[in-house]
Amino acid sequence: MGSGRRIERWCFWVVVWAVLAGLVMPAAQASASLNGLTEARAGELHELLTPDPEAVWRTIPWMTSVLEAQREALEKGRPIFIWAMDGHPLGCV
Amino acid sequence: MLQQDFVPVAINQAFQRRQQDGEGAFYRRIASQGPRGGGDWSQTTQGFYIATPDGELLLYNNNRNPERLRRLMREALEAFAQREPVEADPAEMGERDQRFHPEPPEGGLIVRVHAKVLGGYKPTEDPVRQMFQEALSRDNLWVTAEEQDVLTRDELPETLARRIALYHLIDNTRGEPTMWRPHHIRKLEMTLVGGVLRGSVHLESEGGDTGYEAELFGRVSVEDGRVAGFELAAEGDYWGHTRYTPGCPEGRFPLAVVFRLADGEDAADTIPPQAHGWWGSDYLPR
């Protein structure tokens, strides 16, 4: 009788443990999968992927409208230089 | 030379060669005098053009050799100097072709996006290949006013998480990439809790030829009911390329993408996102 009670109690706690583990484990796995990139590494990446403000091409006063460039060219008596690409040259090329 | 002797303008000619307004007409007038101006404006006209202010073409070149271009620019300047001063009325825009003038969402945010391949390339002596291998790309992420409101409540809008994944977690360092499609999202977990953004993403094309598995970390700060800071970084394994981005490293290679709120000081802050194309993409919620 006492032995049967012990087995029953043991089974009860196994079930409780299994249920709790089932509830906790997915959350723990999800949180582990979201913790791969640290704040320190993210900071390094921001530094590494910051454009060089001294880069020569960035010092050029690029306009983005051909008509505005025409107006300025007429005012200043200069030719227009058009950098025309598939994708914007100041953006994704 | 570009700063002092020319008026420099940079354009995505895929817009200007198609747009039906004064901007498009003036560009086509110049491009039609070059070797790519045969009248089929569905084809690319990319290259460098030097023109007089009234639209006469002095030079077309599509060569990446800086020395050659510099020499051609000097020759064009000499030819321009020998002409009579140009007197003309500026061309008028007329009715703007709205398909080609996308505006950032009113009350929203512009976030700068940069991507870089961090390794995996075979060493090369080819200067053009070196340029692509070391390239830092630039694009802009547009955030709507509604999404900004949600961010200020310390929540991440699903539409924003999907836009980041579909259109900005991409290798655009060697050219225009083919964007991910919704069914390419194998996993997208992003949370915003206490101003901290964390995430994990797995994107992969149907055949598995191209993919990106990355982790994300970032911060969002709010002041006076508006987003005052938005920083996000992604790092992970990328593989494969698309039609216009050949030359990637073999196998899996490390790719990082960073996002930072724009301050409007950079001319490139005004450029529409690459994925917000003239064809009316679903970049923003309709």
Side-chain angles (χ1 to χ4, degrees):
Chain A
M1 186 75 172
S3 161
R5 283 269 185 189
R6 274 200 299 275
I7 291 171
E8 202 173 281
R9 204 170 286 159
W10 183 83
C11 286
F12 170 77
W13 284 113
V14 166
V15 170
V16 168
W17 181 87
V19 169
L20 288 176
L23 290 174
V24 170
M25 287 298 282
Q29 284 167 357
S31 117
S33 72
L34 291 179
N35 282 333
L37 187 61
T38 64
E39 182 162 21
R41 179 58 181 160
E44 288 174 5
L45 292 173
H46 277 287
E47 205 165 306
L48 186 65
L49 273 65
T50 296
D52 178 5
E54 307 292 316
V56 176
W57 78 271
R58 292 179 64 82
T59 68
I60 296 166
W62 293 106
M63 303 182 82
T64 55
S65 159
V66 178
L67 286 190
E68 286 173 21
Q70 188 208 17
R71 275 186 210 98
E72 189 163 319
L74 284 167
E75 281 172 23
K76 296 184 172 174
R78 295 179 185 174
I80 307 166
F81 181 95
I82 305 174
W83 184 11
M85 298 295 289
D86 280 306
H88 205 288
L90 302 184
C92 174
V93 288
Chain B
M1 193 161 30
L2 272 176
Q3 289 172 336
Q4 294 167 1
D5 300 322
F6 292 92
V7 175
V9 56
I11 59 166
N12 177 357
Q13 53 75 49
F15 281 32
Q16 270 84 354
R17 65 181 148 92
R18 292 181 171 98
Q19 68 190 68
Q20 299 301 311
D21 55 24
E23 170 89 8
F26 187 61
Y27 174 72
R28 286 191 297 276
R29 183 166 143 201
I30 294 170
S32 66
Q33 300 165 59
R36 289 183 156 174
D40 180 2
W41 301 112
S42 68
Q43 299 297 312
T44 183
T45 56
Q46 75 170 6
F48 300 104
Y49 295 82
I50 294 176
T52 63
D54 57 347
E56 187 179 335
L57 183 67
L58 298 174
L59 170 79
Y60 169 81
N61 185 255
N62 192 30
N63 192 287
R64 291 198 182 102
N65 183 319
E67 288 307 318
R68 181 177 176 192
L69 183 58
R70 197 174 291 132
R71 176 174 56 78
L72 292 171
M73 287 167 69
R74 284 202 190 95
E75 290 173 9
L77 265 183
E78 285 167 16
F80 182 72
Q82 289 168 8
R83 290 163 167 263
E84 293 292 316
V86 174
E87 288 186 13
D89 292 327
E92 296 294 329
M93 175 66 86
E95 188 177 344
R96 286 159 68 98
D97 188 340
Q98 292 300 341
R99 296 174 299 165
F100 301 98
H101 295 277
E103 298 287 340
E106 198 176 336
L109 303 168
I110 298 172
V111 178
R112 295 176 186 164
V113 188
H114 295 284
K116 186 173 178 61
V117 173
L118 301 179
Y121 281 116
K122 287 180 181 168
T124 177
E125 297 298 316
D126 183 328
V128 174
R129 280 181 184 274
Q130 283 176 353
M131 181 184 72
F132 283 123
Q133 292 184 1
E134 294 165 6
L136 178 65
S137 74
R138 169 67 197 270
D139 201 357
N140 289 317
L141 161 68
W142 281 356
V143 179
T144 67
E146 293 76 17
E147 289 166 342
Q148 176 174 208
D149 283 345
V150 177
L151 287 171
T152 63
R153 299 198 297 269
D154 204 29
E155 295 169 25
L156 183 67
E158 189 189 342
T159 50
L160 180 57
R162 286 178 66 81
R163 189 175 315 126
I164 287 171
L166 284 174
Y167 303 123
H168 296 287
L169 296 181
I170 199 154
D171 180 9
N172 55 5
T173 61
R174 295 175 308 279
E176 293 183 286
T178 304
M179 297 295 168
W180 301 115
R181 304 301 303 160
H183 62 277
H184 293 159
I185 298 178
R186 307 297 173 97
K187 182 176 81 169
L188 175 57
E189 297 174 1
M190 284 182 75
T191 62
L192 175 60
V193 179
V196 176
L197 272 165
R198 293 181 197 277
S200 179
V201 65
H202 176 186
L203 303 156
E204 189 169 331
S205 60
E206 296 89 340
D209 296 341
T210 314
Y212 190 36
E213 286 184 290
E215 305 291 325
L216 298 96
F217 183 93
R219 285 192 177 275
V220 176
S221 59
V222 177
E223 284 176 20
D224 300 326
R226 285 187 59 84
V227 171
F230 184 100
E231 289 199 352
L232 178 64
E235 184 178 33
D237 282 350
Y238 204 97
W239 63 96
H241 63 86
T242 54
R243 186 175 177 187
Y244 298 112
T245 60
C248 68
E250 286 179 15
R252 288 180 172 238
F253 56 91
L255 180 86
V257 186
V258 298
F259 301 73
R260 180 173 288 156
L261 194 61
D263 58 11
E265 295 293 313
D266 189 339
D269 291 343
T270 64
I271 305 304
Q274 168 72 10
H276 194 294
W278 62 270
W279 56 89
S281 74
D282 52 2
Y283 181 81
L284 292 176
R286 290 171 191 266

